[in-house]
Amino acid sequence: MSVTIKDVAKKAGVSPSTVSRVLSNHPRISHATSEKVKAIMLEMGYHPNIMAKSLVSKTTHSLGVILPKPAEELFLNTFFMELIRGIVAQANRSGYDVVLSSGSSEQEEVEAVSRLVYGGRIDGAILLYSRKNDPVVDFLSRNHFPAVLVGRSEQHKNIISVDTDNVQAAADATRHLIQMGHQRIGFVSGPPELVVSLDRMEGFKMALNEANLEFHKDWIVEGEFLQESGYRAMSFFMNLPERPTALVVVDDIVSFGILRGLHELGYKVPEDIAIVSFNNIALSELSTPPLSSVDIGIYHLGYTASQALIQAIQEKDPDKLVHQRHIVPHRLILRQSSMFAPSRN
Amino acid sequence: MSVTIKDVAKKAGVSPSTVSRVLSNHPRISHATSEKVKAIMLEMGYHPNIMAKSLVSKTTHSLGVILPKPAEELFLNTFFMELIRGIVAQANRSGYDVVLSSGSSEQEEVEAVSRLVYGGRIDGAILLYSRKNDPVVDFLSRNHFPAVLVGRSEQHKNIISVDTDNVQAAADATRHLIQMGHQRIGFVSGPPELVVSLDRMEGFKMALNEANLEFHKDWIVEGEFLQESGYRAMSFFMNLPERPTALVVVDDIVSFGILRGLHELGYKVPEDIAIVSFNNIALSELSTPPLSSVDIGIYHLGYTASQALIQAIQEKDPDKLVHQRHIVPHRLILRQSSMFAPSRN
DNA sequence: CTGAAAGCGCTTACAG
DNA sequence: CTGAAAGCGCTTACAG
């Protein structure tokens, strides 16, 4: 029913092969026939059938993106949206489509991915997060399937990854508080199975070490990327006999929970406790007070991930692809939540 | 290189046709051969090639989702993410993939969609928003391509749509303020080219009318779905000689901007001005004060859109599809921002 | 219940 | 510079 290469060929008085060659800008085709065929394609409203093309070319011009399962799904809506926007923008620009997939368990995630991969539905995959033992990463790595990880993998060192230097980022945030005069600094971390939590924790410790500041076990709290976690962490800290004067918080959303709790209890930020967190989402400058936050360039991360993946797909020499690690620069944005020098005691 | 239906057939000692029939659970296949073939498929790691299947079946089992162009892109990250989560969840459950596409202008949007549609890449499309004169809707409607609109279209009454009853929702919000004793109520609207802005405005007027309250031209402000718009609206209202005591605000994000502005100027919410807004995003209960908001079930909207689209794709009788309109129920969530009765004057 | 054959719409050596 | 032919991996009448 829809117009095919044969219809165009017939009307143009050439063979289907020729039409196909015009389509792919084959060099050895006469300018005259090329023009004629193109005119007729336009006239007849011809559009190449992508499926047929894929079937023979063994390439789909599609990238697969695996959405995190519900547990982490709550985790920062705006983070993932920004990431996906960056991914889709760059993919479309390069003529690639993006196929979204999700599973409601790790098991289902693997099934979804393997359907896409084995079914020849996608040319490469992007993972939006990095867990410590991720079966999806295992699967892709085992199958030598082109893949890019946003974040980094502990096990699979040679998967291509696009990441923030989270160790440095956390060190930067911590150093800022130290420079402001804080000596008692706590850390609110994310789920320990996420690599990002570990990296930020490490940077935090690093900065404390440099400054010969004490690393206080009691001043470390782990949680989810949820406001409730921040709320709980806050209540834990504020009940401590000796409490920190500043906090490094793994994510802005978590800081919102902390701010809310402190507000309810009548504490003031940054006077009673100073806060720096990560990701600099749109709302971070809108909270009361506005949050100091490390901007990690989320859109840019997504954009770079697409770019790296497409490059990997098109690269023939596999040696060039081993152990690629793209670092997107971060930037500490200072706002009111950390702009206070504590009195010495 | 990958294992095909022929390989399986050879190993099983049957014809490719038979393997294909086993795959599709054809009724007239003997249990014995079916079992044998299935065992061999598993053993050889067979996975059907989706492209080949699509080519012959003329169906892709993919839904296309068009991301809004940058202008509206900012518009409510978390809104779109929730919507997409709902869409993907339901699509995957029904065995459909979701293909994302975007353009950086209306022109590019249409091109992206037509590539997907004419290229046979998708079986149907979901639009995430409704503009007043949308070329993408025109395109889909003109081509009689299965499509679902989240929102509603003024021109194309017979496109399938999934929507909130925004008129009622806005009326509910407004009535609540009236019941609290407010007589001077303002409205902060969104871009006038979006249908949702118009519908909510209409509900607002309706509720005022019912209560014989004056509709004050000065108390209506249009803006974007951005915090800055809220900030500006706030400053406009607060400089009025006679200002409203309560506001209905088209979106929570806009309310955040209003809250911030009022806080800076030292006004109190809800005492100086009460606020109700829409969408009930995750952060609405975290603001200071927590926002009263109409929960429109965003995830549910996405979920329903997927469901309706898949139904439309699978429905043979086109008469059944005309003028379908699915309404997802809304619910006014009361929080502190509107819980104050103004003194009579 | 099963097989041989044709065909989906394209590409790409091979030949000229 | 162009065409005829084979083939990508599947499905589906048609026959038996």
Side-chain angles (χ1 to χ4, degrees):
Chain A
M1 72 174 219
S2 131
V3 23
T4 77
I5 225 172
K6 274 189 186 172
D7 303 322
V8 175
K10 191 172 293 170
K11 190 142 188 179
V14 298
S15 76
S17 333
T18 300
V19 177
S20 171
R21 288 189 185 106
V22 169
L23 228 42
S24 57
N25 287 313
H26 191 102
R28 281 189 299 199
I29 216 85
S30 84
H31 190 70
T33 45
S34 171
E35 290 302 295
K36 184 174 64 184
V37 170
K38 276 179 182 164
I40 292 188
M41 293 197 309
L42 220 61
E43 178 192 332
M44 301 183 74
Y46 170 77
H47 291 265
N49 180 308
I50 299 179
M51 297 302 163
K53 189 183 245 167
S54 290
L55 181 56
V56 26
S57 70
K58 304 270 177 230
T59 163
T60 61
H61 269 238
S62 294
L63 310 181
V65 170
I66 320 305
L67 292 183
K69 68 181 168 74
E72 280 103 14
E73 222 162 25
L74 299 164
F75 160 16
L76 300 189
N77 279 338
T78 97
F79 175 83
F80 286 114
M81 192 65 203
E82 269 302 289
L83 212 47
I84 290 174
R85 271 190 52 220
I87 290 170
V88 172
Q90 162 59 13
N92 283 183
R93 194 156 315 167
S94 308
Y96 279 76
D97 285 319
V98 170
V99 176
L100 242 42
S101 197
S102 74
S104 50
S105 66
E106 288 201 342
Q107 172 64 12
E108 273 187 40
E109 273 179 33
V110 176
E111 277 163 21
V113 179
S114 71
R115 217 169 28 78
L116 294 179
V117 170
Y118 288 136
R121 189 99 188 52
I122 55 176
D123 294 344
I126 298 179
L127 294 180
L128 300 186
Y129 51 87
S130 27
R131 288 182 295 233
K132 271 182 84 177
N133 283 297
D134 194 314
V136 179
V137 177
D138 285 350
F139 171 85
L140 294 168
S141 175
R142 205 180 327 118
N143 285 275
H144 302 288
F145 193 76
V148 167
L149 184 68
V150 177
R152 64 184 191 82
S153 170
E154 302 253 86
Q155 292 80 52
H156 300 279
K157 295 284 184 195
N158 57 356
I159 193 174
I160 301 173
S161 62
V162 174
D163 201 3
T164 308
D165 186 340
N166 279 307
V167 176
Q168 276 309 325
D172 290 351
T174 311
R175 284 184 200 122
H176 160 61
L177 292 172
I178 295 171
Q179 274 161 17
M180 291 299 293
H182 291 278
Q183 313 238 358
R184 307 206 309 260
I185 307 175
F187 185 71
V188 181
S189 185
E193 68 272 19
L194 290 184
V195 177
V196 59
S197 303
L198 306 178
D199 285 355
R200 289 181 181 168
M201 171 91 84
E202 192 187 321
F204 170 72
K205 288 184 186 168
M206 196 173 91
L208 289 191
N209 255 331
E210 287 169 4
N212 291 314
L213 289 181
E214 175 188 13
F215 174 76
H216 215 301
K217 264 249 165 216
D218 273 358
W219 294 347
I220 309 288
V221 173
E222 275 168 3
E224 304 289 314
F225 285 106
L226 297 173
Q227 306 109 359
E228 288 83 63
S229 293
Y231 194 92
R232 272 197 300 274
M234 180 284 307
S235 122
F236 173 81
F237 283 132
M238 298 323 268
N239 282 315
L240 247 33
E242 192 192 22
R243 56 185 205 225
T245 61
L247 296 176
V248 176
V249 181
V250 77
D251 188 277
D252 292 341
I253 299 270
V254 179
S255 289
F256 292 150
I258 296 178
L259 287 182
R260 174 172 155 227
L262 290 172
H263 180 81
E264 284 177 9
L265 297 182
Y267 290 107
K268 287 215 173 311
V269 176
E271 293 80 358
D272 293 318
I273 196 152
I275 294 177
V276 182
S277 55
F278 292 85
N279 294 5
N280 191 33
I281 63 174
L283 291 167
S284 303
E285 57 173 327
L286 280 181
S287 57
T288 319
L291 277 178
S292 291
S293 185
V294 179
D295 189 314
I296 59 169
I298 306 174
Y299 181 89
H300 193 170
L301 280 166
Y303 195 92
T304 307
S306 256
Q307 206 164 32
L309 180 55
I310 291 170
Q311 212 178 326
I313 289 168
Q314 292 174 347
E315 175 63 60
K316 287 113 184 62
D317 182 0
D319 290 347
K320 289 212 175 166
L321 298 176
V322 172
H323 206 128
Q324 271 196 32
R325 188 161 153 72
H326 303 259
I327 296 295
V328 171
H330 61 269
R331 205 167 103 239
L332 178 58
I333 309 289
L334 296 182
R335 298 200 187 90
Q336 201 188 327
S337 74
S338 68
M339 300 315 267
F340 180 80
S343 54
R344 300 273 157 177
N345 54 353
Chain B
M1 70 174 220
S2 133
V3 23
T4 77
I5 226 173
K6 275 190 185 171
D7 304 322
V8 174
K10 192 171 294 172
K11 191 145 187 177
V14 298
S15 76
S17 332
T18 301
V19 177
S20 171
R21 288 192 184 101
V22 170
L23 228 42
S24 57
N25 289 312
H26 191 102
R28 282 189 297 201
I29 215 85
S30 84
H31 191 69
T33 45
S34 172
E35 289 303 294
K36 185 174 64 182
V37 169
K38 277 180 181 163
I40 292 187
M41 293 195 311
L42 220 60
E43 178 193 331
M44 301 181 75
Y46 170 76
H47 291 264
N49 180 308
I50 298 179
M51 296 303 162
K53 189 183 246 166
S54 290
L55 181 56
V56 26
S57 68
K58 303 272 177 227
T59 162
T60 61
H61 268 237
S62 295
L63 310 181
V65 170
I66 319 305
L67 292 184
K69 69 181 166 76
E72 280 101 16
E73 222 161 25
L74 301 162
F75 161 14
L76 301 188
N77 280 336
T78 97
F79 174 83
F80 286 114
M81 191 66 203
E82 270 302 288
L83 210 49
I84 290 175
R85 271 188 52 221
I87 290 170
V88 173
Q90 162 61 11
N92 284 181
R93 195 158 313 167
S94 307
Y96 279 76
D97 286 318
V98 171
V99 176
L100 240 42
S101 198
S102 73
S104 49
S105 66
E106 288 201 343
Q107 172 64 12
E108 273 187 40
E109 272 179 35
V110 176
E111 278 163 21
V113 179
S114 72
R115 217 170 29 78
L116 293 178
V117 169
Y118 287 137
R121 187 98 189 53
I122 55 176
D123 295 345
I126 298 179
L127 293 181
L128 301 186
Y129 52 87
S130 27
R131 288 182 295 233
K132 271 182 83 178
N133 282 297
D134 195 312
V136 179
V137 176
D138 284 349
F139 172 85
L140 294 168
S141 175
R142 206 180 327 119
N143 285 275
H144 303 288
F145 194 74
V148 168
L149 185 66
V150 178
R152 66 184 190 80
S153 171
E154 302 253 88
Q155 292 80 51
H156 300 278
K157 297 282 185 197
N158 56 356
I159 194 174
I160 300 172
S161 62
V162 175
D163 200 3
T164 308
D165 186 340
N166 279 307
V167 176
Q168 277 308 324
D172 289 351
T174 311
R175 285 185 198 120
H176 159 62
L177 291 172
I178 295 171
Q179 273 160 20
M180 290 300 293
H182 291 278
Q183 313 238 359
R184 307 206 309 260
I185 307 176
F187 184 71
V188 181
S189 183
E193 68 272 18
L194 291 184
V195 177
V196 58
S197 304
L198 306 179
D199 285 355
R200 289 183 182 165
M201 172 91 85
E202 190 186 323
F204 169 72
K205 289 183 186 169
M206 195 172 91
L208 289 191
N209 256 330
E210 287 169 6
N212 291 315
L213 288 181
E214 172 191 15
F215 173 75
H216 215 299
K217 264 248 164 213
D218 274 356
W219 295 348
I220 309 288
V221 174
E222 274 168 3
E224 304 290 314
F225 285 107
L226 296 173
Q227 307 108 359
E228 289 83 62
S229 293
Y231 194 91
R232 270 198 299 274
M234 180 284 307
S235 120
F236 173 80
F237 283 132
M238 297 324 268
N239 282 313
L240 247 33
E242 191 194 23
R243 54 188 207 224
T245 61
L247 296 176
V248 176
V249 181
V250 77
D251 186 281
D252 292 341
I253 299 269
V254 179
S255 288
F256 292 151
I258 297 178
L259 287 181
R260 174 172 155 227
L262 290 171
H263 180 81
E264 284 177 10
L265 298 183
Y267 290 107
K268 287 216 172 315
V269 175
E271 292 81 359
D272 294 317
I273 197 153
I275 294 177
V276 182
S277 55
F278 292 85
N279 295 2
N280 191 31
I281 63 175
L283 291 167
S284 304
E285 59 174 325
L286 280 180
S287 58
T288 320
L291 277 178
S292 290
S293 186
V294 179
D295 190 316
I296 60 169
I298 306 174
Y299 182 90
H300 194 170
L301 279 166
Y303 195 93
T304 307
S306 257
Q307 207 164 32
L309 181 56
I310 291 169
Q311 213 178 324
I313 290 167
Q314 293 173 346
E315 175 64 59
K316 287 113 183 62
D317 181 1
D319 289 348
K320 288 212 176 168
L321 297 176
V322 172
H323 207 128
Q324 272 197 31
R325 188 162 153 75
H326 304 258
I327 296 294
V328 171
H330 61 268
R331 206 166 103 240
L332 178 59
I333 308 290
L334 296 181
R335 298 201 186 90
Q336 201 187 326
S337 73
S338 68
M339 300 317 265
F340 180 80
S343 54
R344 300 273 158 176
N345 55 351

